[in-house]
Amino acid sequence: MSLYKNIDNWLDVRLGTHSLIEKELTGYLLPRNINAWYSLGSVLLFIFSLQIVTGILLLIYYVPDADKAFASVTMIMNRVPFGWLVRMCHVVGSNMMVLILLFHMLSVLFMGSYKSPRELNWLSGFILFNLVMAISLTGYLLPWSQLSYWATTVATNSVGAIPFIGSYLVEFLRGGKLVGPPTLGRFFALHVAVIPITIAAFVGIHLVLLQRIGVSTPPFGLKETKSNWRGDTFRYEEHPGGIPFFPNYLLQDMTSIMLYLALFFAVLFFDPYLFLPKDAFIPADPFLTPAHIKPEWYFLPNYQTLKLFPSEFLGLAVQGAAMTFLALLPFIDRGTEKHPLKRPLFMACSIGGILLWIGLAIWGHFS
Amino acid sequence: MENRDRRKFLGVCLGGIASASIAAVAYPLFRYLSPIPEQENSGKVTFQESDIPEGEAKFFQYAGSAAVLIKNKEQGVIALSAVCTHLGCIVQWQKERGEFLCPCHAGRYTAQGLVISGPPPKPLQPLHVSIANGTITIG
Ligand code: FES
C-alpha cells in the first residue's frame, strides 16, 4: 500500500472520512438545472475569509488611538512593504462584499428560494446583510480621516430622529456628545471583535439551515416550477438524478471565485481609490466639516431618503418599514410559484423597488 | 497516447500557474510581516560632554540595541555595548564599585568591559568614541 492509501485508511478507520465525503461531497446531489447564481454564496464566503485575513494583517500595524490612527494607516500605505496592497484589498473587498451580497439576495428573490420552507434561511441571511452593513459602517471610522469622521457623524446623527430616546442613543453610540476618541474605541471593538464573531456565527447558522432543508430547485428550465412542499412534516429536498457537489458544482464555485477575483484585481490595480474620495486622505478635524460629505455608495439611498422627508423621523420610519417588509417577505409572499415570469406582481414590485433604490443612490450621489 | 501527453502538459501548466499564484501571495505577505528597517540617522549618537556626570553611566540606544557610556577620571570616556555576552541581558552600572553587573546570572565586568567573574565568555563589545570640543560622538 502506498503512503497516501495508508493515511487515507488510517483516517477513515478513525473518522469515517469515506462516508463523510460520500455524504457531503460526491454523494451530495444538487438539482440538475442549478445555475451560476447559486455559487454566489461560496464567493461571499471566500470574500469574508479574505476580509478576515487582511483584517488580521492590518491589526499588526494599525493603532486604534485617535491621535495615532491616521498616522498608522499612512504608515501602512507608505512604509510597510506591500502595506498598500493589504489595506486596499480590505477596502475594495468590503465594497465588493456588499455588491456581491446584493446580487446573492437578488438571485434568491428572483428564483423564489426565500419561499416556504426556507423562511429561516432568508431571515438569517437578512440578519447577515445588516451585520455586513454594520461592519462596513464601523470600519469606515477607523482610519480617522475627514471622510471617516464626518460620515460617522452624519450616520450616528440620524439615530437621533428616534423620538424620546434619540438624543441619548446618539450619545450612547458615540460614547460622548460628539464623535471622538471614545467613538473610535467602541467602533474598533465592534469592527474587529463583536461583529465578525456574530457574522461567523450567522454564516454557520445559514449553512446549517441550508444543509438541513436542502438546496431549492431553480425554477428555470423546468415545466413545473411550483414548490410542492405541503408544510405538515419536515422534508429534506432531495435531488435524485442531480449533479454531485464534488467535483461538478465545486468547479462552478471555483469558476465564480476566479471571475470575482478578476473583477476584484481589476479594481485593485487599475482604480484602487474608486471607493475612496479625497477626504479619505486628510486627517480628521472635528472643527472643519468638509463640503459635500457623503456616505458609501450602498448607504446613499438611505441618505437621500432622509433628506427627502420633511422630518427625519418620517424618513427613518419609512426605511424601517421597508427593511421590515424585506425581512418578513417569505411570511407575506405565501404563493408556491417560483418562476419570476409567472409572478407578475412580484416582478413589478421588485423591479420597481430596485429602480427606486438605484435612482435614490444616483440622486444622492449628485445632489 | 496523444491524450496522455495533453493531460500531462495541462497538468504541468496548472502546476506552474498554481505555484506562481502561491508565490504572488506569499512574497508580499512575507515582506509585509518582515521587520521594517529603522530610519537611521547616519548611525551616530552625540552627547554634550558637560551633560554626563563623573562616574555615572548613561544608557542609550545605539544601532537598535542598548549601549552605555561612562566617564571617569582614570580612563576618560568609554562607550560599550550594554548587552551581556552571556545570554543577552542588559548590564547594570554599580557606581560604588565601578563595575558592571549582569542581573541575570551575576556576570561581572570592569568599567572597561572586561570579565571579572561569572558566566560571560567575552568582554563587552567596545564602541568607537571621539570627543571634539565638548561633544562626545559614538559610532
Ligand atoms: S546573561 Fe548576563 S550573566 Fe547570563
Side-chain angles (χ1 to χ4, degrees):
Chain A
M1 260 206 277
S2 69
L3 178 65
Y4 168 73
K5 276 219 175 106
N6 268 326
I7 295 173
D8 185 47
N9 194 46
W10 193 90
L11 283 176
D12 188 36
V13 170
R14 278 152 190 88
L15 298 170
T17 40
H18 288 180
S19 70
L20 195 70
I21 288 169
E22 159 75 24
K23 180 163 176 275
E24 306 294 340
L25 297 175
T26 53
Y28 174 37
L29 299 182
L30 298 171
R32 278 212 88 77
N33 59 334
I34 194 162
N35 54 38
W37 290 96
Y38 277 67
S39 60
L40 287 182
S42 302
V43 176
L44 281 168
L45 205 56
F46 173 79
I47 301 175
F48 182 56
S49 334
L50 214 58
Q51 290 302 101
I52 291 180
V53 172
T54 51
I56 291 174
L57 286 174
L58 288 174
L59 275 180
I60 295 173
Y61 295 104
Y62 175 74
V63 187
D65 172 333
D67 293 329
K68 295 175 187 154
F70 190 83
S72 72
V73 174
T74 308
M75 165 165 139
I76 292 173
M77 291 296 277
N78 298 331
R79 278 197 59 212
V80 181
F82 293 100
W84 59 272
L85 181 66
V86 177
R87 172 164 186 240
M88 291 325 289
C89 275
H90 201 71
V91 173
V92 173
S94 74
N95 280 278
M96 296 291 238
M97 179 152 74
V98 177
L99 184 71
I100 304 292
L101 186 52
L102 291 176
F103 284 135
H104 183 54
M105 285 174 81
L106 287 182
S107 90
V108 169
L109 278 177
F110 282 110
M111 289 190 272
S113 316
Y114 60 90
K115 294 194 167 196
S116 270
R118 296 193 174 75
E119 295 96 332
L120 291 175
N121 289 52
W122 175 262
L123 270 182
S124 59
F126 181 81
I127 292 169
L128 276 170
F129 171 64
N130 285 288
L131 287 170
V132 167
M133 299 296 251
I135 205 168
S136 306
L137 186 78
T138 49
Y140 215 46
L141 180 67
L142 304 188
W144 208 246
S145 65
Q146 273 291 70
L147 183 72
S148 311
Y149 186 91
W150 294 102
T152 308
T153 299
V154 172
T156 46
N157 221 345
S158 61
V159 180
I162 296 171
F164 311 119
I165 50 163
S167 56
Y168 176 74
L169 215 57
V170 173
E171 213 178 307
F172 185 81
L173 276 178
R174 292 177 177 172
K177 286 249 181 299
L178 295 171
V179 174
T183 323
L184 184 60
R186 280 153 197 260
F187 278 35
F188 179 70
L190 287 173
H191 186 78
V192 307
V194 181
I195 309 178
I197 292 172
T198 319
I199 289 184
F202 270 93
V203 167
I205 294 172
H206 200 61
L207 290 176
V208 166
L209 288 171
L210 174 73
Q211 195 76 354
R212 280 304 286 164
I213 203 87
V215 172
S216 102
T217 315
F220 300 112
L222 291 179
K223 270 194 228 86
E224 175 64 73
T225 54
K226 276 197 176 25
S227 151
N228 48 17
W229 187 73
R230 279 196 211 85
D232 37 10
T233 47
F234 173 79
R235 190 175 63 85
Y236 173 78
E237 187 167 344
E238 272 176 287
H239 303 286
I243 59 167
F245 174 71
F246 179 86
N248 301 40
Y249 203 70
L250 194 66
L251 206 57
Q252 174 63 61
D253 277 343
M254 295 313 283
T255 309
S256 301
I257 289 172
M258 290 301 153
L259 282 173
Y260 165 74
L261 277 178
L263 181 68
F264 177 65
F265 286 135
V267 177
L268 197 64
F269 292 123
F270 294 105
D271 197 359
Y273 300 144
L274 179 64
F275 303 113
L276 291 179
K278 69 175 192 315
D279 287 326
F281 304 101
I282 304 168
D285 179 354
F287 300 107
L288 183 83
T289 312
H292 314 297
I293 190 78
K294 282 195 188 71
E296 289 265 75
W297 60 271
Y298 40 84
F299 284 124
L300 278 175
N302 310 58
Y303 168 73
Q304 187 61 20
T305 314
L306 275 184
K307 288 200 294 185
L308 282 181
F309 284 90
S311 92
E312 282 221 316
F313 172 68
L314 216 58
L316 218 57
V318 166
Q319 288 176 39
M323 286 302 265
T324 312
F325 177 76
L326 200 60
L328 298 181
L329 185 62
F331 301 98
I332 296 162
D333 178 6
R334 304 294 301 170
T336 49
E337 181 57 60
K338 283 165 62 179
H339 198 289
L341 296 182
K342 295 177 189 165
R343 292 186 288 155
L345 179 67
F346 167 81
M347 277 301 261
C349 292
S350 52
I351 291 184
I354 293 163
L355 288 179
L356 183 68
W357 192 85
I358 295 175
L360 282 172
I362 295 173
W363 191 359
H365 179 77
F366 287 107
S367 67
Chain B
M1 194 58 221
E2 207 176 64
N3 231 337
R4 203 180 299 157
D5 282 349
R6 190 180 136 91
R7 189 170 264 247
K8 203 169 174 188
F9 173 72
L10 288 175
V12 169
C13 288
L14 208 62
I17 293 170
S19 0
S21 336
I22 292 170
V25 172
Y27 177 70
L29 196 61
F30 170 72
R31 289 293 314 280
Y32 183 85
L33 295 174
S34 308
I36 305 169
E38 297 280 328
Q39 276 168 333
E40 279 178 29
N41 34 8
S42 76
K44 287 196 188 348
V45 180
T46 55
F47 297 104
Q48 283 319 113
E49 200 174 2
S50 49
D51 290 350
I52 318 263
E54 266 315 310
E56 296 270 8
K58 180 159 182 66
F59 285 85
F60 59 96
Q61 283 262 350
Y62 178 75
S65 150
V68 62
L69 185 77
I70 44 170
K71 194 165 91 173
N72 55 25
K73 282 240 159 51
E74 307 90 67
Q75 294 96 9
V77 177
I78 300 173
L80 298 163
S81 157
V83 181
C84 175
T85 53
H86 179 222
L87 294 176
C89 294
I90 303 301
V91 294
Q92 293 170 353
W93 175 243
Q94 296 187 294
K95 196 181 168 192
E96 325 72 55
R97 313 173 86 179
E99 281 176 19
F100 289 109
L101 170 72
C102 176
C104 290
H105 313 98
R108 285 165 65 216
Y109 301 87
T110 65
Q112 286 80 31
L114 302 171
V115 181
I116 303 170
S117 67
K122 279 185 296 181
L124 293 173
Q125 197 207 334
L127 301 173
H128 182 262
V129 185
S130 57
I131 308 172
N133 42 40
T135 307
I136 307 172
T137 308
I138 295 117

